[in-house]
Amino acid sequence: MFEFCLPTKAASVPDRPNWLHEVKYDGYRLRLERDGDRVRLITRGGYNWTDRYPWIVESALKNRFRQFVIDGEAVVLGVDGVSDFEALHSRQHDEEVQLYAFDIVALDGCAACRYPCERPTWRNCSPAGRMASL
């Protein structure tokens, strides 16, 4: 099982070189899991939303990799291109929901280490250490 990596609050913005940041999208945190022909969308609260966004599932099934876990955010973009949480939450725009992926947590049986993010390393990639089925 993979846990969501949650941000931590800081008192100030780091001023060190090579500092990276990500855009904050206002949406629902989702984990996309694919294992062969089985795809699931799991919320941070543990709910299965696979049936809510079937086009995301279809896209995952078209990927050439047959086993992966992606951490991302389901968002609806407003006309200004900024994520619109009210539109997402209303469920009146479900057909417009997109998944913004920001971490590949596992790929083809290998779990990714999150540090350092410039050059991810992979754990459990030997044949004996393959990732268990999702």
Side-chain angles (χ1 to χ4, degrees):
M1 177 59 77
F2 295 95
E3 299 298 322
F4 288 95
C5 182
L6 302 177
T8 55
K9 187 175 180 179
S12 63
V13 176
D15 61 356
R16 299 178 302 276
N18 301 322
W19 183 70
L20 300 175
H21 74 280
E22 295 175 345
V23 173
K24 167 63 175 106
Y25 294 101
D26 203 4
Y28 294 130
R29 192 71 176 268
L30 287 178
R31 185 175 60 238
L32 171 65
E33 303 173 349
R34 178 173 178 192
D35 188 10
D37 292 332
R38 180 178 173 221
V39 174
R40 297 186 322 156
L41 293 170
I42 306 298
T43 68
R44 193 172 132 200
Y47 296 102
N48 187 334
W49 280 7
T50 305
D51 294 335
R52 185 177 285 197
Y53 306 124
W55 53 92
I56 295 173
V57 172
E58 291 170 20
S59 293
L61 288 169
K62 291 178 184 176
N63 194 297
R64 67 184 173 107
F65 294 102
R66 298 195 39 82
Q67 188 179 42
F68 54 82
V69 177
I70 295 174
D71 189 0
E73 192 91 6
V75 300
V76 169
L77 296 179
V79 294
D80 58 358
V82 176
S83 56
D84 184 344
F85 186 76
E86 288 183 30
L88 177 67
H89 186 69
S90 74
R91 304 258 347 248
Q92 294 179 10
H93 304 275
D94 274 2
E95 69 282 351
E96 298 174 38
V97 171
Q98 302 175 47
L99 180 68
Y100 281 77
F102 42 79
D103 274 321
I104 299 173
V105 180
L107 182 64
D108 276 354
C110 298
C113 295
R114 292 183 185 268
Y115 180 84
C117 45
E118 300 87 25
R119 286 189 338 207
T121 57
W122 296 86
R123 306 186 296 252
N124 299 332
C125 290
S126 66
R130 298 300 276 187
M131 191 174 79
S133 289
L134 302 173

